[in-house]
Amino acid sequence: MSLVVVGSIGLDSISTPVGSVNDTLGGSAIYASLSASYFTDVRIVGVVGEDFPASALDLLRKHNIALDGLEIVPGKTFRWKGVYHKWNQADTLATELNVFADFSPHIPEGCRNCHSLLLGNIHPDLQLQVLSETKSYTHVACDTMNYWISRCPDKLAEVIKQVHIVFMNEDEIRDFTKKDNIYDAARIVLSMGPALVVVKRGEYGSVAIMQDDMFFIPAYPLAQVKDPTGAGDSFAGAFMAIIENFATLDLDSVKSGLIYGTIMAANNVGEFGVQGLIGINPSMIEQMKVDLIRWTR
Amino acid sequence: MSLVVVGSIGLDSISTPVGSVNDTLGGSAIYASLSASYFTDVRIVGVVGEDFPASALDLLRKHNIALDGLEIVPGKTFRWKGVYHKWNQADTLATELNVFADFSPHIPEGCRNCHSLLLGNIHPDLQLQVLSETKSYTHVACDTMNYWISRCPDKLAEVIKQVHIVFMNEDEIRDFTKKDNIYDAARIVLSMGPALVVVKRGEYGSVAIMQDDMFFIPAYPLAQVKDPTGAGDSFAGAFMAIIENFATLDLDSVKSGLIYGTIMAANNVGEFGVQGLIGINPSMIEQMKVDLIRWTR
């Protein structure tokens, strides 16, 4: 059993109200994989250029993330530069696709019998290509972003029809469904096929919505947010890693996934880049779980 | 045992994105009293003019709300006219203080042995006057609004030092404490004396913060919000009515108060004016509690 994570891998330059970092390891697949690595075996699928730092590869190996799906090709690694004037929204200053422009993701042979798949935020065409190779997975999820919702909603709808779990934030699900009420919006997405929609609400936590049930969880309270980049990816990575241990997607597995997703998103945003996802003591994660349960039940 | 509710009583004209009403019964004391009336004996303290409708008095009596603290004086009843362009903020179009301009609230003789007091949103000077008459109460709470925070923060601070429970929304507690992080902000308020701060977060629910503990609750999901007026008052009224049944303010009593506060706020905003607080079947309240517990625990 292992979780396959497909998504972007890049070097980010990020500025937030409390600091900045340059060319730091990032991308949806990186955040999700590092977060998931605390709970299950992870296989990352993505592409980087020859300039990708050896230290980043070492970091992934140290987290037992299998790299057979990671292509290293001639050229430069994807780069993104963004600034957060407000905490809940990044303004993109520059995007260099570089080797990511020709990315054609493939599930490595060793992953044909994997259990779960997380399609991180990439072009829906690439998500569809991966889906065509992974028919037998137990839990398949997709994340996305407003960029694809506005540019290729029909392709994204094709993806959604083929997955079990959809992660969207409030703005995204409203834009995608043209419904202002998130419960109405979620019902539209569920009617397309998925069994579960997780609506992410930033500092207010998230709500998981199923056909006949739902579950709310607040964000883990933090003294200081430093960098929101990758919060949704960290959340989705941990969520998918946890539900890997469950045969079915029911209220119990969803609750457990939400708790750990919430914890890892909090760990992530408390530091710049992926720093918050590195070297976390498992006992700290368990203490955060005890806290969350005490504060909500 | 009974809950004393002090606050404004008026006739509101309200316009929201889905409709409007004119000269409908409103005011912080009305919303809080009607909400609380489902859970305990309520005594309302306020002032109205001779034009106050007999039907409104009948409604209060029907809810077993004691009227010995309600003054009916010559002149016109307080009136407020507001419009919600967005759901979370009313723009005031007109305020006629009328008889409310000379309001001097007093606790009736019969309430000297009451148990709990809710100081609804009125001038902090009036809240202080009531506090001077109610030294022996077990649970004393205050609500407020941005208007008083910006105009008389020192007076409001005097009120806060004398109460056990403070209700504020996120913007209010940030403005009052000059702290952006609501947990830091709540700690400042707690350091002034209260044992509990309840931070209201609108559609995202609320969080109760005590010295060594906290508790989160989401808003009850609704198909349609019609009129947010009085949401905070309904919440506070039900919360205070519930904790009246507890000798101490601990995590258990706070949880119970938050659940019923959340339910009554949802009932209120689902209809215009106070319509959502009238004729609620107790079994519906209990079903909403079952729902909330299922969706959060």
Side-chain angles (χ1 to χ4, degrees), chain B:
Chain B
M1 298 232 307
S2 57
L3 169 66
V4 178
V5 175
V6 184
S8 59
I9 302 176
L11 297 171
D12 294 343
S13 295
I14 304 162
S15 175
T16 84
V18 298
S20 61
V21 283
N22 285 317
D23 278 345
T24 193
L25 180 62
S28 60
I30 292 291
Y31 282 102
S33 294
L34 286 172
S35 176
S37 71
Y38 288 87
F39 312 105
T40 193
D41 292 330
V42 180
R43 291 165 174 270
I44 193 168
V45 174
V47 66
V48 297
E50 288 163 325
D51 60 345
F52 193 66
S55 61
L57 293 174
D58 286 343
L59 176 67
L60 297 175
R61 283 190 202 100
K62 208 169 151 187
H63 279 255
N64 291 315
I65 296 168
L67 302 179
D68 49 337
L70 179 70
E71 292 176 66
I72 302 175
V73 301
K76 285 180 73 181
T77 299
F78 171 69
R79 275 170 173 75
W80 176 75
K81 187 173 184 178
V83 58
Y84 293 85
H85 297 294
K86 293 184 293 184
W87 286 116
N88 58 352
Q89 198 192 321
D91 292 329
T92 292
L93 300 178
T95 302
E96 293 176 33
L97 287 179
N98 299 327
V99 298
F100 198 62
D102 300 315
F103 181 42
S104 176
H106 290 287
I107 301 297
E109 277 302 320
C111 295
R112 302 287 165 176
N113 293 320
C114 285
H115 196 233
S116 303
L117 170 68
L118 172 58
L119 294 164
N121 168 35
I122 47 173
H123 195 299
D125 276 341
L126 301 185
Q127 293 179 320
L128 286 169
Q129 180 178 317
V130 175
L131 284 170
S132 71
E133 298 178 354
T134 52
K135 290 295 182 201
S136 68
Y137 280 40
T138 305
H139 302 300
V140 177
C142 74
D143 199 351
T144 190
M145 69 184 293
N146 273 343
Y147 188 89
W148 309 120
I149 291 169
S150 59
R151 277 167 186 77
C152 43
D154 296 342
K155 288 281 184 190
L156 179 59
E158 285 306 308
V159 175
I160 287 173
K161 284 176 191 168
Q162 295 183 47
V163 303
H164 310 115
I165 302 165
V166 174
F167 296 97
M168 284 186 175
N169 71 32
E170 289 183 293
D171 286 346
E172 288 162 358
I173 200 165
R174 285 180 175 134
D175 283 353
F176 181 65
T177 62
K178 317 280 187 229
K179 290 283 179 189
D180 198 48
N181 181 303
I182 62 162
Y183 308 104
D184 293 343
R187 264 183 286 277
I188 288 179
V189 175
L190 291 175
S191 73
M192 296 169 66
L196 170 68
V197 178
V198 180
V199 181
K200 297 171 290 177
R201 310 169 108 185
E203 65 177 307
Y204 301 107
S206 58
V207 51
I209 305 173
M210 290 164 282
Q211 202 65 51
D212 298 311
D213 229 323
M214 60 181 147
F215 196 76
F216 292 88
I217 193 161
Y220 190 93
L222 286 176
Q224 172 77 71
V225 172
K226 289 188 181 166
D227 174 11
T229 311
D233 305 309
S234 311
F235 181 96
F239 183 97
M240 292 303 291
I242 293 295
I243 64 157
E244 250 237 314
N245 301 308
F246 291 85
T248 56
L249 198 63
D250 58 14
L251 195 56
D252 281 342
S253 52
V254 168
K255 280 183 198 180
S256 194
L258 286 178
I259 286 172
Y260 287 100
T262 296
I263 289 168
M264 295 309 286
N267 283 325
N268 177 53
V269 303
E271 302 294 341
F272 276 90
V274 299
Q275 286 306 310
L277 298 177
I278 296 172
I280 304 173
N281 190 322
S283 69
M284 190 178 97
I285 294 175
E286 288 311 306
Q287 182 55 51
M288 291 173 80
K289 179 180 176 179
V290 169
D291 293 341
L292 260 184
I293 287 174
R294 176 169 178 83
W295 296 333
T296 56
R297 296 192 186 173

Side-chain angles (χ1 to χ4, degrees), chain A residues 120-125 127 142-160 166-179 185 188-189 192 197-200:
Chain A
N121 167 36
I122 48 173
H123 195 299
D125 276 341
Q127 293 179 320
C142 74
D143 200 351
T144 190
M145 70 183 292
N146 274 342
Y147 188 88
W148 310 119
I149 291 169
S150 58
R151 275 167 188 75
C152 42
D154 296 342
K155 288 281 183 190
L156 179 58
E158 285 306 308
V159 175
I160 287 173
V166 174
F167 295 98
M168 283 187 175
N169 70 32
E170 290 183 292
D171 287 345
E172 289 161 358
I173 199 165
R174 286 179 175 135
D175 284 353
F176 181 66
T177 63
K178 317 281 186 226
K179 290 282 179 188
I188 288 179
V189 175
M192 296 169 66
V197 178
V198 180
V199 181
K200 299 170 289 178

Side-chain angles (χ1 to χ4, degrees), chain A residues 36-86:
Chain A
S37 72
Y38 288 87
F39 312 105
T40 193
D41 291 330
V42 180
R43 290 164 176 270
I44 192 168
V45 174
V47 65
V48 297
E50 288 165 324
D51 61 343
F52 193 65
S55 60
L57 293 173
D58 286 345
L59 176 67
L60 297 175
R61 283 192 201 99
K62 209 168 149 186
H63 279 255
N64 292 315
I65 296 168
L67 301 180
D68 48 337
L70 179 70
E71 291 177 68
I72 302 175
V73 301
K76 284 180 74 182
T77 299
F78 171 70
R79 275 169 173 75
W80 176 75
K81 188 172 183 177
V83 58
Y84 294 86
H85 297 294
K86 293 184 293 184

Side-chain angles (χ1 to χ4, degrees), chain A:
Chain A
M1 299 235 306
S2 58
L3 170 66
V4 179
V5 175
V6 183
S8 60
I9 303 176
L11 298 173
D12 294 344
S13 294
I14 303 161
S15 175
T16 84
V18 298
S20 61
V21 283
N22 285 317
D23 278 344
T24 193
L25 181 62
S28 59
I30 292 290
Y31 282 101
S33 295
L34 287 171
S35 175
S37 72
Y38 288 87
F39 312 105
T40 193
D41 291 330
V42 180
R43 290 164 176 270
I44 192 168
V45 174
V47 65
V48 297
E50 288 165 324
D51 61 343
F52 193 65
S55 60
L57 293 173
D58 286 345
L59 176 67
L60 297 175
R61 283 192 201 99
K62 209 168 149 186
H63 279 255
N64 292 315
I65 296 168
L67 301 180
D68 48 337
L70 179 70
E71 291 177 68
I72 302 175
V73 301
K76 284 180 74 182
T77 299
F78 171 70
R79 275 169 173 75
W80 176 75
K81 188 172 183 177
V83 58
Y84 294 86
H85 297 294
K86 293 184 293 184
W87 285 115
N88 57 352
Q89 197 191 323
D91 293 328
T92 292
L93 301 178
T95 303
E96 293 176 32
L97 287 179
N98 299 327
V99 299
F100 198 62
D102 300 315
F103 180 42
S104 174
H106 290 287
I107 301 297
E109 277 302 321
C111 294
R112 302 286 166 178
N113 293 320
C114 285
H115 196 232
S116 303
L117 170 68
L118 172 58
L119 294 165
N121 167 36
I122 48 173
H123 195 299
D125 276 341
L126 301 185
Q127 293 179 320
L128 286 170
Q129 180 176 318
V130 175
L131 284 169
S132 71
E133 297 179 353
T134 52
K135 291 291 183 201
S136 68
Y137 281 39
T138 306
H139 302 301
V140 177
C142 74
D143 200 351
T144 190
M145 70 183 292
N146 274 342
Y147 188 88
W148 310 119
I149 291 169
S150 58
R151 275 167 188 75
C152 42
D154 296 342
K155 288 281 183 190
L156 179 58
E158 285 306 308
V159 175
I160 287 173
K161 283 176 192 168
Q162 295 184 46
V163 303
H164 311 114
I165 302 165
V166 174
F167 295 98
M168 283 187 175
N169 70 32
E170 290 183 292
D171 287 345
E172 289 161 358
I173 199 165
R174 286 179 175 135
D175 284 353
F176 181 66
T177 63
K178 317 281 186 226
K179 290 282 179 188
D180 198 47
N181 181 303
I182 62 162
Y183 308 104
D184 294 340
R187 264 184 285 276
I188 288 179
V189 175
L190 291 175
S191 74
M192 296 169 66
L196 171 67
V197 178
V198 180
V199 181
K200 299 170 289 178
R201 310 169 107 186
E203 65 177 307
Y204 302 106
S206 58
V207 52
I209 304 173
M210 289 165 282
Q211 202 65 53
D212 298 309
D213 229 323
M214 61 181 146
F215 196 76
F216 292 88
I217 193 162
Y220 189 95
L222 286 176
Q224 172 77 71
V225 171
K226 288 188 181 166
D227 173 12
T229 310
D233 306 309
S234 310
F235 181 95
F239 183 96
M240 292 302 292
I242 293 295
I243 65 157
E244 250 236 315
N245 301 308
F246 292 84
T248 56
L249 199 62
D250 58 15
L251 195 55
D252 281 342
S253 53
V254 168
K255 280 183 196 179
S256 193
L258 285 178
I259 287 171
Y260 287 98
T262 296
I263 290 168
M264 295 308 286
N267 283 324
N268 177 53
V269 303
E271 302 293 341
F272 276 90
V274 298
Q275 287 306 310
L277 298 177
I278 296 173
I280 304 172
N281 191 322
S283 69
M284 190 178 97
I285 294 174
E286 289 310 307
Q287 182 55 51
M288 291 173 79
K289 178 181 176 178
V290 169
D291 293 341
L292 261 184
I293 287 174
R294 176 169 178 82
W295 296 333
T296 56
R297 295 190 187 177

